[in-house]
Amino acid sequence: MFEEAQYFAPVATRDDGSVVVELATSHPGFADLVYRERRNAIAALALGHTPGDPIPVAEYTDEEHHVWALVSKELAVKHHKYAVREFLRGAERLGLPEHRIPQLQEVSDLLHPLTGFRYLPAAGLVPLREFYGVLADGLFHSTQYIRHHSVPFYTPEPDIIHEVIGHANTLASPRFAELYRAAGRAARRMETTEALEFVSKVFWFTLEFGVMREDGELRAYGAGILSSYGEIEEFRGMDIRPLDLAVMGTTKYDITKYQEVLFEAASFDHLEDTVGTFWDTCDDDAVTRLLSGRRP
Ligand SMILES: [Fe+2]
């Protein structure tokens, strides 16, 4: 029932107040009742959190800390080979722990002095308008659970490795942080769902899965690529197209597979001039014009 295209496992609150994360039968942690209990408890923490209060502490097992240590070490090596400079600088400035999963409050405290961003805990899917809108206020919704320890290099859903190693290292860069804020301001201006989805798709193909030419080499800056042990090795072989707002805003993607179509910025300036300027200036009419150019 939740097999297909469920980026986030649904979270339900039962009549007795208990919180249940509904993992698909194909999820690596489906048959692990202890893991599922922990997922439920972590989701309940986020649902009970009031913005402004400290983020509740999540409990992780030694095996889970080990997953973080393993993936963090492997990704750091790959980042030096494949990530854009601005990301590497961000990672250096942020200084995430390498051997244990950081608490989200700790990530937030490291990040805030650098670019003003703070983290908020999310139980699962956050509605588009809320997720993007609060980026304008320097707030980033993040899941708190970690993938199942049986498959450390795979996750069917965004976990804390994606949210923190992918996004927090990026958000530690003032230039990237400004792009995230611009996406948030754009989302807030959008009145129709169609226009909001257009903005979110441009975000998907840039800040989640964007690639950039740097010193003649194709490098990644999208958090989805930079947090994926497998995808980071594959992106250079994908169908790479030039940055094009109308195409990015209307291209369909499959969240369950590696992204086959990627969009390349010629430089950081190019990304800011094209995508940053779009987010800074767009409104519903601008999106309608872009969409009408794509319709037969
Ligand atoms: Fe993400």
Side-chain angles (χ1 to χ4, degrees), residues 7 131 140 158 162-163 167 203 208 223-224:
Y7 196 33
F131 177 84
F140 186 83
H162 167 72
E163 308 281 31
H167 286 291
F203 185 96
E208 287 289 356

Side-chain angles (χ1 to χ4, degrees), residues 62-110:
D62 287 347
E63 281 167 325
E64 288 174 333
H65 285 298
H66 180 67
V67 167
W68 174 278
L70 185 66
V71 179
S72 167
K73 183 171 165 234
E74 294 292 333
L75 282 177
V77 174
K78 290 174 191 278
H79 289 160
H80 283 279
K81 203 165 156 191
Y82 296 118
V84 295
R85 271 193 294 272
E86 196 64 23
F87 174 89
L88 295 173
R89 280 195 207 111
E92 210 175 299
R93 281 154 57 91
L94 191 62
L96 289 171
E98 294 167 13
H99 302 294
R100 61 177 176 83
I101 308 167
Q103 291 295 326
L104 282 191
Q105 185 60 51
E106 186 183 354
V107 175
S108 199
D109 291 344
L110 287 170

Side-chain angles (χ1 to χ4, degrees), residues 124-292:
L125 180 67
V126 176
L128 279 193
R129 205 167 275 287
E130 171 68 9
F131 177 84
Y132 288 104
V134 299
L135 292 175
D137 304 326
L139 295 170
F140 186 83
H141 280 106
S142 168
T143 55
Q144 211 168 353
Y145 56 83
I146 192 160
R147 62 198 60 187
H148 194 256
H149 59 84
S150 61
V151 281
F153 296 115
Y154 169 75
T155 175
E157 52 189 341
D159 68 346
I160 192 165
I161 289 181
H162 167 72
E163 308 281 31
V164 173
I165 295 183
H167 286 291
N169 282 327
T170 316
L171 284 166
S173 145
R175 287 182 89 176
F176 276 124
E178 180 46 33
L179 283 170
Y180 277 75
R181 284 179 196 270
R185 292 191 296 267
R188 284 221 168 124
R189 282 197 301 279
M190 295 303 144
E191 291 174 10
T192 66
T193 303
E194 190 179 41
L196 179 65
E197 282 175 359
F198 188 99
V199 166
S200 80
K201 279 188 159 192
V202 173
F203 185 96
W204 179 267
F205 284 113
T206 55
L207 295 170
E208 287 289 356
F209 285 95
V211 294
M212 185 185 290
R213 191 64 54 179
E214 203 172 71
D215 302 331
E217 272 192 338
L218 196 61
R219 290 189 166 245
Y221 66 89
I225 299 178
L226 293 172
S227 60
S228 168
Y229 179 82
E231 204 151 2
I232 199 169
E233 291 286 351
E234 303 287 337
F235 73 89
R236 286 179 176 166
M238 296 302 178
D239 177 0
I240 308 289
R241 304 189 187 172
L243 270 194
D244 183 313
L245 293 167
V247 178
M248 289 191 288
T250 51
T251 297
K252 290 199 167 51
Y253 55 83
D254 182 348
I255 54 176
T256 62
K257 294 184 186 150
Y258 288 173
Q259 301 304 301
E260 288 169 3
V261 176
L262 300 174
F263 294 88
E264 174 191 339
S267 64
F268 211 114
D269 286 346
H270 181 217
L271 178 67
E272 288 170 333
D273 291 347
T274 306
V275 177
T277 303
F278 167 68
W279 282 331
D280 274 337
T281 57
C282 65
D283 56 14
D284 286 66
D285 290 344
V287 171
T288 303
R289 282 194 298 277
L290 286 165
L291 286 171
S292 65

